[in-house]
Amino acid sequence: MDRETCLAFDQQDPLAAVREEFVIPDGLIYLDGNSLGALPRRTVPRLHQVIAEEWGDGLIRSWNDAHWIEAPVRIGDKIAGLIGAKPGEVIVADSTSVNLFKLLAGALRLQPGRHFILTETANFPTDLYVAQGLTDLLGGNHAVRLVERGQLDAALDGSVAVLMLTHVDYATGAIHDMRRLTAAAHRYGALVLWDLSHSAGAIPLELNDCEVDLAVGCGYKYLNGGPGAPAYVFIASGLQDALRSPLSGWMGHAAPFAFEREYRPAAGMARQLAGTPPVLSMMALEVAIDLWLGVDQREARRKSMALGDLFIRLVDETCRDLGLEVASPRNAGDRGAQVSFRHRQAYRVIRALIDRGVIGDFRMPDIMRFGFAALYTRYVDVFDAVRSLREVLTTRAWERPEYATRMPVT
Ligand SMILES: *Cc1c(COP(=O)(O)O)cnc(C)c1O
């Protein structure tokens, strides 16, 4: 496999033109779109317009005139189209962590007599922490039942209120079988909550088809909504009016501007809102979602699988005996849009790569993570990234002392 061949792949790539829709600094190879998606070009003029015209000139009138107040529902409906849900089943609000709290609390209230949130030890930390915080708050017999991935089926029983899983593992990229696990949980009467943070924008999803009850997901990773972009909540239509949010804020009231004394939850998804939506972030997210709606997701999936396969192949061919071990499923169909490797000096290697203009990231304890966001990553980027990786490992460039100090964000 040589560089010319990779350039030829890029020429034949049906998504090649989509890269032009993004701001990618010259000379940078960005393999961290799974952590913070790149900036869509159109976000820049759109945010300028929102700030100068809608905020600057329109001021408070823009809640009505520029339809700010409808943004959570409107963008939610657009996201529904990306994840196999119906309009009216998704709303944009808060962060993924806060949404996990809201849905878990609502789900536990629907399941009296069941005390467990079942999840796996390898779940993303915030998912575990939020579940722990909620069961502590509720007290009584409520607890998190934490098991290894392979023990999930055996841990399902009639005491499980909710099975909460992250669909694509953040560290390894391994995909759970959403359809099978959802059905397995339903056989025991448990509700199922999927965290789609590493899935939406990486893999086509079919939430309705898989009969998923609840889901949350992140706006700033593969969806490219911007740093700290608002997250989204999915609730299957049949459950929406039964599920109450514990954060009963005014934006989730049936009549927010009636200023009533008592809380009355809005119908449908609107009750999942708590406070005023962050308009600037919402509008940035909307630009990014509109871009996604113009892309064939199956094509994007095909491309990210091919990029990941190419990365693994090049590492196999050129980085043998350099201390790397694949941490992701080798079969592309079993992993999301990322490939991870273990290395004893993973953190330092990532730092040395970043200094060479190749951006991946590090996850505890020894994982180097490389994301292959299909909309803007090229085959030649994969080739050049592996060449830099080989160079860092063979020259031991990672030994520089400054790479030993951990930065606040890895
Ligand atoms: C990125 C990510 C989150 C992020 O949660 P925030 O509240 O946005 O910080 C949550 N869960 C998973 C699985 C993630 O990958």
Side-chain angles (χ1 to χ4, degrees):
M1 177 59 59
D2 56 17
R3 198 167 190 279
E4 300 310 308
T5 310
C6 294
L7 287 168
F9 289 159
D10 285 320
Q11 278 190 336
Q12 295 151 15
D13 173 13
L15 294 176
V18 183
R19 177 177 165 89
E20 303 309 315
E21 299 286 334
F22 289 89
V23 175
I24 310 281
D26 276 345
L28 195 75
I29 298 178
Y30 192 63
L31 304 181
D32 214 3
N34 50 306
S35 213
L36 175 62
L39 169 63
R41 276 189 198 286
R42 289 178 214 178
T43 303
V44 180
R46 174 64 181 133
L47 279 195
H48 189 268
Q49 178 190 38
V50 175
I51 291 169
E53 295 172 24
E54 298 182 6
W55 177 13
D57 296 336
L59 288 164
I60 192 88
R61 293 170 290 188
S62 289
W63 283 106
N64 294 310
D65 298 349
H67 307 285
W68 286 352
I69 198 68
E70 294 145 30
V73 168
R74 181 178 72 239
I75 305 169
D77 285 348
K78 292 180 181 186
I79 292 175
L82 290 177
I83 61 176
K86 291 186 284 290
E89 287 186 322
V90 177
I91 199 159
V92 174
D94 303 313
S95 63
T96 304
S97 302
V98 172
N99 289 333
L100 282 164
F101 183 86
K102 293 184 318 198
L103 288 188
L104 286 174
L108 288 182
R109 188 145 59 174
L110 279 187
Q111 298 274 55
R114 294 170 179 252
H115 303 295
F116 289 106
I117 297 171
L118 173 61
T119 189
E120 63 175 315
T121 46
N123 202 344
F124 190 81
T126 207
D127 301 52
L128 300 179
Y129 303 160
V130 166
Q132 288 162 13
L134 176 64
T135 53
D136 283 355
L137 177 71
L138 293 175
N141 299 324
H142 287 106
V144 180
R145 182 180 282 172
L146 203 56
V147 302
E148 298 295 321
R149 192 179 180 88
Q151 303 303 311
L152 284 166
D153 286 277
L156 274 169
D157 60 28
S159 65
V160 174
V162 195
L163 170 64
M164 171 190 74
L165 292 172
T166 295
H167 179 228
V168 174
D169 185 279
Y170 74 100
T172 66
I175 305 176
H176 272 303
D177 186 336
M178 181 182 280
R179 185 183 307 274
R180 193 191 67 73
L181 279 162
T182 300
H186 285 169
R187 277 197 288 281
Y188 289 96
L191 291 165
V192 185
L193 194 178
W194 289 100
D195 187 331
L196 309 176
S197 292
H198 283 277
S199 310
I203 310 176
L205 295 164
E206 293 295 345
L207 295 196
N208 287 157
D209 201 50
C210 292
E211 300 186 3
V212 170
D213 303 305
L214 309 165
V216 296
C218 173
Y220 52 78
K221 292 172 179 160
Y222 293 106
L223 295 184
N224 310 311
Y232 55 92
V233 182
F234 160 89
I235 305 177
S237 49
L239 280 172
Q240 288 173 14
D241 287 332
L243 210 81
R244 295 274 296 256
S245 167
L247 303 183
S248 45
W250 71 316
M251 285 293 151
H253 192 279
F257 288 88
F259 287 81
E260 296 170 8
R261 280 265 163 85
E262 300 289 327
Y263 182 73
R264 282 191 295 128
M269 290 304 287
R271 65 175 61 182
Q272 297 302 324
L273 299 178
T276 305
V279 172
L280 301 183
S281 304
M282 287 265 171
M283 298 309 161
L285 177 62
E286 186 166 33
V287 174
I289 299 299
D290 285 341
L291 204 169
W292 261 114
L293 288 172
V295 169
D296 178 350
Q297 285 205 77
R298 278 182 304 262
E299 196 63 62
R301 172 69 173 147
R302 263 197 294 279
K303 182 177 172 189
S304 68
M305 290 197 294
L307 292 168
D309 282 345
L310 176 65
F311 192 84
I312 293 175
R313 175 175 170 190
L314 288 167
V315 169
D316 282 346
E317 283 177 10
T318 66
C319 302
R320 231 168 300 138
D321 303 324
L322 291 173
L324 291 174
E325 185 195 326
V326 187
S328 298
R330 278 185 174 269
N331 176 19
D334 297 332
R335 60 169 195 262
Q338 73 184 71
V339 172
S340 303
F341 283 87
R342 294 182 199 286
H343 187 276
R344 287 188 53 192
Q345 298 295 343
Y347 180 72
R348 292 168 171 226
V349 174
I350 284 290
R351 290 283 303 277
L353 279 172
I354 292 172
D355 274 356
R356 281 158 182 74
V358 178
I359 302 191
D361 65 18
F362 164 79
R363 285 294 174 263
M364 289 287 280
D366 59 357
I367 297 257
M368 297 193 287
R369 210 164 55 149
F370 301 96
F372 301 101
L375 303 193
Y376 48 80
T377 310
R378 297 170 302 193
Y379 292 90
V380 73
D381 294 332
V382 172
F383 187 91
D384 292 344
V386 175
R387 194 156 63 180
S388 290
L389 176 60
R390 179 185 154 74
E391 190 250 327
V392 164
L393 293 172
T394 53
T395 62
R396 300 178 74 84
W398 53 264
E399 284 182 334
R400 282 171 57 169
E402 68 261 36
Y403 297 150
T405 321
R406 293 274 163 95
M407 305 229 263
V409 174
T410 61

